[in-house]
Amino acid sequence: MTDRTQPWLEWPGFASVVAALGADNIRVVGGAVRDAWLGLPVSDVDLATVLLPDQVIKRLQAKHLKALPTGIAHGTITAVADHHSFEITTLRRDVATDGRHADVAFTDSWQTDAARRDFTINALYMDCAGKIYDYFGGLDDLKTGRVRFIDDATKRIEEDALRIMRFFRFNARFGAADLDAAGLAACARQANHLMALSRERIRDELLKMLAVLDPVPTIEVMITHGIFKPFLPEVHSASGLHKLIEAEHRLDDIAVLRRLFVLLPRSAAICEDVALRLKFSLKERQRLVAMAGEELCAVAPDPHTIRKLIYQLGRERFIDQLILRTPSKELYEQAQAWDIPKLPIKGGDLIANGVAAGPDVSRILALIENDWIDADFPDGKAILVDMARVYIKNHKE
Ligand code: ATP
Ligand code: MG
């Protein structure tokens, strides 16, 4: 039977890792304990241990488990057992912090390790017998939806400004209506510290926050308190996001990039700028910029025109524009169901019909493709070769 409070007990590999390290030496920590306690799905577990990193490696290897030094500078080893990976971090405290990085010292005190974590709800530990260790009242805060910094909020943000973004992200996920006043005030006062962080770290936290069921109330608080100003001054209102989320839930299709898009002024140039600033991949940048496109607004929604647009934009961009502008369920379902055809003719077919290899092949192919699209994607090579003959003839004359 699955144990809802310790789903990891059933995971392949978990028992081997426990056997290798010794049940008394490890506890599950952080998000996994928090989410399992709430009855939410858990997809990965972090383990904390009193063992030093080299002992962790030796013990894993002695049982023929893979030990990867993924974060060795901070005491983290990733164990791989039965194709499942587990991050194992030696208990530590942060010695010196400069707002971005921390030097660490290992300790054998669970409470010291708990104290370096960001929020009370993220400092829960569970041992292998299922006992929870809650050093800062995290369970009470979970019950009341309170995201509370461990110790003084201002000091904790000075140590690491990313905690500002995390404060809002965890509020968006677990928070009740009113945010912890001291935490919120400290975040607002120190929002400028976000500028010292790498854009990638801010982006990752921002996207995780946008992915929650309904981030609107949290985003509104962030706007009111000037949190976006240092890195996304373009964000002024969450009203577009509210509308989008309704459509996304109705169509059961959520995309964080679309959620970001509606927070920005509708402009391809701004999308480009934001994507570069937040270091998105080329693919993500192109997708964000394409959301500003007006192609779907300009067409009549007859089935052929819609197919044409899906073919030209690609399904993902078409659906983005659809959900952002006219989120009709019928059109959405059509777009998902249509099997996008491939042009049934290739350059080789033209060459076989007398076109010399070279730039004429792709030029004529493009002309044929246009006719093929206008003819609503007829199937079969023969029709296309017939269509091609006209161009080939003209080309030769
Ligand atoms: P999620 O389900 O979103 O992954 P999580 O709680 O596992 O939530 P992670 O970002 O994976 O969050 O971090 C794992 C744990 O490490 C946190 O629960 C917290 O205890 C600690 N932690 C992570 N980032 C920080 C930070 N910037 N400052 C202090 N503690 C942190
Ligand atoms: Mg996590």
Side-chain angles (χ1 to χ4, degrees), residues 220-237:
E220 280 170 345
V221 176
M222 290 174 76
I223 293 172
T224 313
H225 289 80
I227 306 298
F228 284 108
K229 276 211 185 98
F231 65 102
L232 272 184
E234 295 86 351
V235 177
H236 296 296
S237 155

Side-chain angles (χ1 to χ4, degrees), residues 177-193:
D178 286 332
L179 281 72
D180 177 65
L184 178 57
C187 288
R189 235 180 4 252
Q190 290 165 283
N192 273 342
H193 295 208

Side-chain angles (χ1 to χ4, degrees), residues 29-32 34-35 41 43-44 46 87 92 94 113-119 121-125 150 156 159-163 166 169-170 173-174 201 205 208:
V29 63
R34 178 198 66 214
D35 293 352
S43 56
D44 63 347
D46 295 321
E87 277 199 359
R92 63 174 217 229
D94 297 336
D113 186 71
R116 62 133 177 126
R117 296 177 183 273
D118 44 11
F119 309 110
I121 61 169
N122 286 350
L124 299 167
Y125 296 71
I150 292 170
R156 302 310 309 280
E159 291 168 3
D160 179 1
L162 194 70
R163 290 172 188 156
R166 293 174 61 86
R169 167 156 87 87
F170 288 107
R173 232 169 114 191
F174 303 110
R201 293 181 77 205
E205 287 292 334
K208 282 186 190 169

